[in-house]
Structures are given as C-alpha cells and as structure tokens.
Amino acid sequence: MIDLNLLRESPKKIISLIKSKDPSFDAEKLYKKDEEVRALRVEVESLRYRKNELAKLGKKGVTPELREESITLSKKLKELEESLQETEKIFNQLYLSCPNIPQEDIPVGDKEANVVVKQEGQKPLIPFTIKNHVELGEALGWFDFAAAAKMTGSNFALYKGDAVRLMYALTMFMLEHNREHGYEFVLPPYLVNEKSLEVTGNFPKFRDQVYQVPEDKLYLSPTSEVNLANIYRDHIFSADELPVRLTAWTSCFRREAGSYGATERGLIRIHQFEKVELFTFCQPDMAKKELDRMVACAEGLLQKLGLAYRVVLLATQDSSFASARTYDLEVWMPGQDTFYEVSSCSNCTDFQARRGQIRYRKDAGEKPQLVYTLNASSLALPRLMVAIMENYQREDGSIAIPEILKKYGVW
C-alpha cells in the first residue's frame, strides 16, 4: 500500500505517477474516498462525543428535551456509522488495488519505453543450423511434455535424465553464489495463506493467477518472494539487525500460461517452474545500494556461465504491481533469436512492509518506521536451462555443459 500522506500532500503529482503505472486505476477516486472516510470519521467521533455528554447529563435527570436530542442523535449516528462502514469498504478495496508509486526517473510507458542500461558478453557464433531447446531436448530425451500433459495438463514440464542433473547443478551453483554475496539460505513451505499473498500485492489484484486449495484456504506460492516477505510480518527489527538478506529455492506455480507464440513453447512459459529468489529487508536509505547488490549478484551468475545478457530498466507500465523500480536481466537465446528475461530485480520501497507491518526502530524507545523490501530472481531455472542448451549446443545435438557446473557432483 502506498503512503497516503504523499497522496494527501501532493494529490496531482501522486495521481499522475500512479496513472503512469496503471492508467486503468482510478487514482482520483482513491483520493476522494480517502477524503470522504476522514470527514465521516470526524463526524462520527463528534456525535459519539456528544452522545457521551448526553449520557452524563442524563444521570442528573432526563428532561423531554434531552430525551428528544438523544433519540435524534442516536438515529443520525447509526446512519453515519453505516455510511462510514460502506465508504471504508470501497476505500479499502481501492487502496489494496492501488499499485506502488514508481520512482520519478522511471521512463513512462509500456515495454516499448524500457531502457537497455547495458549489454554484456558475446553472442556465440554458431556455424551450423541452430536448434531450439525443444528440438534439442526431445532428441536427447531430456523432456517429455506429452507425459506431463497426460498426468497434469498443458504447459507443464517433465524433466528426465541429464535435464534433471542440470537442474540440480544449476540450483546448487546459484545458492552457493548467493551465499557468497551475503544471502542466507531459507527453505519455506510451498503453500501460503491469503494474508501472505495480500502482503506482497498478489491479492486482491492477481487472485485469478494463483492456484488454490479451497478446503484448507491455502494457495500454491507463485514465487518465494511471497514466503520470504512474510517471515517477518508484524515484526519490529532493531536498526543493527538490518539489512537481512535471504535466498530460497522453490517451485513456483502460476496460472498465467495461455495462448502464446510458437517461440514461447517448451520451457519458456509454464505453470510450474523452479526459481532461486533473493529477498532483502533494509532501512530506506540502504535500498539503492541493496538493489545494486541484487543486480550484481544475478549478473554474476550469467557472467560465470559465459552467457550474453543485457540489463533493462523497466518502464512504469512494465514494472510489477508492487515495484517502484525494476531492472530485468535478459539472457540471449539463439534458438529463440532474442533476449528473454531470467531475472527481475525490484525495489518495492515500503509498499509491502506497510501491508505486512514490517518495521524497525532506529533507537530504543523511538517510534517504529517501515522497512523497505527488495526482491530478485536469481535466477528462473527453466529459462536459464534454455539459455545453456541453446548457447552451448553442438552440431551433433549434444550440449557442452559449462565447466563451472561440473563440480556439483552430478556430471
């Protein structure tokens, strides 16, 4: 949730920034409903105060005038309380659906306004006909999409043999790398409750994108960002405990796969995928440095694997709902003949912390302040596997596994 004080102090500016993020969101209505709620609360409190005064006067003796005023006041108070309750309901729905405010230097627009900040590495010169990962994987016996569709449904993957070995080698490689960069291991549950998804901004806006277990009122986590953010829900840190840096490897479950182009078949867009996540809780003045750390950490993985990639600053409408600033890392995939995102690194400012009441105290006895939260993919495993297969393919259809992965004992 955004800081309402910013909206109240500079409504024109903040409404403009919100609409640059989501033109369909009615930011003006949010502003008006906030005003209405505050005005109604003042009226209600004023009537309650008068009602208490009348009760005190009644102890000394009830006059006809006192009785009449009390009846009239009670009726009006009931009407106002009902009006306040309804207005608060509308306001809360709007407030939870309001995206985070983008930082002012973010380019305005959708994907076409994204800015390539830098490009690193050399695209491989492949002197033979390039195959995509689906062709390579089927010939090698690495994937069985038909079996996955039969046992589950479309847009799921079944990995076999060396594909599984590569998946686990990449996982251990990434976790070890992240630990070297100061991130602590976490292995959370895969199921989360509704409040956890509300804290990160997945609910209520993206409720239809999440798999649910209705009997238990639980949901399959769409990303371990949800799990990690909620470790410290309703918690107050001391300043010297921050920053807290975490990394987790989990499966992620999303209903977003649908009708996409032929280049997005195979592992490019699936309902269940493995991902290593980075997450940080920090003081606000640490956030820029922590975001730079996350981007550098994710970049280091691609550099060690010898993959060409680029860093992209996302425009307002291409940034996630909870993010104020996002950098995507896109890796070159020869079989797709394009760059594809394998990591999003985001500064969510105090947006998630306000929803989860995650705070810190600078000094003992001081009023707690909201922390900032940051998250990054480090990295999305299926797409990274695609990049390795397509960049390191040989003419005979085999894959030259990067040497750095062979030390993880599965090759």
Side-chain angles (χ1 to χ4, degrees):
M1 296 184 288
I2 66 168
D3 183 351
L4 285 174
N5 288 323
L6 297 175
L7 181 61
R8 293 163 183 168
E9 292 165 6
S10 306
K12 188 174 180 181
K13 174 184 173 182
I14 299 303
I15 288 170
S16 176
L17 285 169
I18 293 170
K19 294 187 84 65
S20 77
K21 180 82 169 282
D22 183 358
S24 67
F25 181 75
D26 196 341
E28 291 91 347
K29 186 175 181 180
L30 175 66
Y31 175 67
K32 289 175 183 176
K33 287 299 173 185
D34 175 50
E35 286 191 318
E36 287 178 29
V37 167
R38 287 189 292 152
L40 282 168
R41 283 175 181 164
V42 169
E43 285 190 71
V44 166
E45 287 305 313
S46 176
L47 289 182
R48 285 174 180 166
Y49 180 80
R50 178 58 184 164
K51 188 176 181 179
N52 289 335
E53 283 188 324
L54 292 177
K56 290 176 183 177
L57 291 171
K59 290 178 180 179
K60 299 177 182 179
V62 178
T63 65
E65 293 80 12
L66 195 61
R67 183 181 294 107
E68 182 64 29
E69 183 180 355
S70 181
I71 292 170
T72 302
L73 189 147
S74 293
K75 184 179 178 182
K76 187 175 181 181
L77 180 58
K78 183 182 178 183
E79 291 173 353
L80 276 175
E81 285 175 334
E82 288 174 353
S83 179
L84 174 60
Q85 186 177 23
E86 183 59 31
T87 306
E88 283 180 329
K89 182 179 177 181
I90 296 169
F91 167 76
N92 288 331
Q93 289 172 341
L94 277 168
Y95 195 23
L96 284 172
S97 300
C98 178
N100 199 359
I101 302 166
Q103 294 180 344
E104 292 183 49
D105 64 333
I106 302 298
V108 175
D110 211 333
K111 293 180 186 292
E112 71 283 348
N114 291 349
V115 176
V116 177
V117 176
K118 68 175 178 178
Q119 188 164 318
E120 297 286 336
Q122 296 295 318
K123 299 177 185 177
L125 297 173
I126 301 177
F128 49 84
T129 302
I130 296 171
K131 295 178 181 178
N132 64 45
H133 72 286
V134 177
E135 297 170 306
L136 292 163
E138 287 178 348
L140 292 166
W142 281 21
F143 312 128
D144 192 337
F145 293 107
K150 181 167 57 178
M151 71 177 69
T152 309
S154 61
N155 296 103
F156 285 88
L158 186 147
Y159 304 89
K160 297 167 63 178
D162 282 352
V164 180
R165 296 166 72 190
L166 178 56
M167 182 73 74
Y168 282 108
L170 284 168
T171 300
M172 293 308 300
F173 161 65
M174 288 193 281
L175 288 173
E176 183 178 292
H177 173 86
N178 294 346
R179 182 174 59 183
E180 291 168 358
H181 280 71
Y183 295 88
E184 179 187 352
F185 293 161
V186 175
L187 183 58
Y190 284 9
L191 290 164
V192 292
N193 57 33
E194 183 157 345
K195 180 61 180 178
S196 295
L197 288 155
E198 183 184 293
V199 166
T200 48
N202 297 81
F203 280 6
K205 188 173 178 63
F206 303 106
R207 181 180 289 272
D208 62 344
Q209 298 299 316
V210 180
Y211 288 99
Q212 59 177 311
V213 185
E215 294 84 355
D216 301 296
K217 297 182 180 178
L218 294 173
Y219 302 83
L220 287 169
S221 179
T223 166
S224 58
E225 171 194 344
V226 175
N227 313 65
L228 298 178
N230 282 276
I231 292 174
Y232 293 104
R233 190 168 83 207
D234 299 316
H235 180 78
I236 300 175
F237 294 99
S238 60
D240 59 6
E241 292 178 302
L242 298 173
V244 171
R245 305 185 185 103
L246 307 173
T247 185
W249 165 53
T250 65
S251 291
C252 306
F253 304 87
R254 299 182 188 177
R255 301 178 63 205
E256 65 184 356
S259 299
Y260 297 93
T263 57
E264 294 201 328
R265 62 197 178 116
L267 300 180
I268 297 296
R269 194 179 294 272
I270 49 182
H271 289 305
Q272 176 187 331
F273 59 97
E274 286 59 48
K275 181 160 65 83
V276 176
E277 188 80 5
L278 302 176
F279 200 93
T280 297
F281 303 89
C282 69
Q283 295 184 43
D285 60 0
M286 298 177 177
K288 183 182 184 304
K289 185 180 289 186
E290 289 299 322
L291 183 58
D292 290 343
R293 173 190 282 266
M294 280 188 167
V295 173
C297 182
E299 280 190 83
L301 292 165
L302 298 174
Q303 292 164 2
K304 288 179 178 179
L305 291 169
L307 297 170
Y309 69 93
R310 63 188 186 186
V311 180
V312 181
L313 174 62
L314 298 192
T316 51
Q317 293 173 44
D318 199 27
S319 298
S320 72
F321 176 78
S323 172
R325 185 182 201 88
T326 296
Y327 291 99
D328 271 7
L329 272 62
E330 300 177 346
V331 68
W332 175 250
M333 297 183 180
Q336 319 300 314
D337 193 32
T338 191
F339 287 91
Y340 258 104
E341 174 219 327
V342 288
S343 177
S344 280
C345 309
S346 298
N347 177 5
C348 295
T349 60
D350 57 8
F351 187 81
Q352 295 174 331
R354 182 171 286 103
R355 289 171 172 243
Q357 283 302 290
I358 310 167
R359 297 168 292 170
Y360 76 101
R361 278 194 179 93
K362 282 192 173 182
D363 294 297
E366 285 196 5
K367 183 180 178 181
Q369 301 178 47
L370 293 168
V371 302
Y372 272 25
T373 61
L374 302 94
N375 67 81
S377 318
S378 178
L379 304 162
L381 277 153
R383 288 189 178 183
L384 186 59
M385 182 180 287
V386 171
I388 288 172
M389 292 175 69
E390 294 184 357
N391 280 279
Y392 287 103
Q393 61 183 289
R394 298 189 182 106
E395 191 169 7
D396 64 0
S398 61
I399 310 297
I401 302 300
E403 285 297 319
I404 195 167
L405 297 178
K406 294 181 179 180
K407 75 176 194 176
Y408 294 96
V410 293
W411 296 100

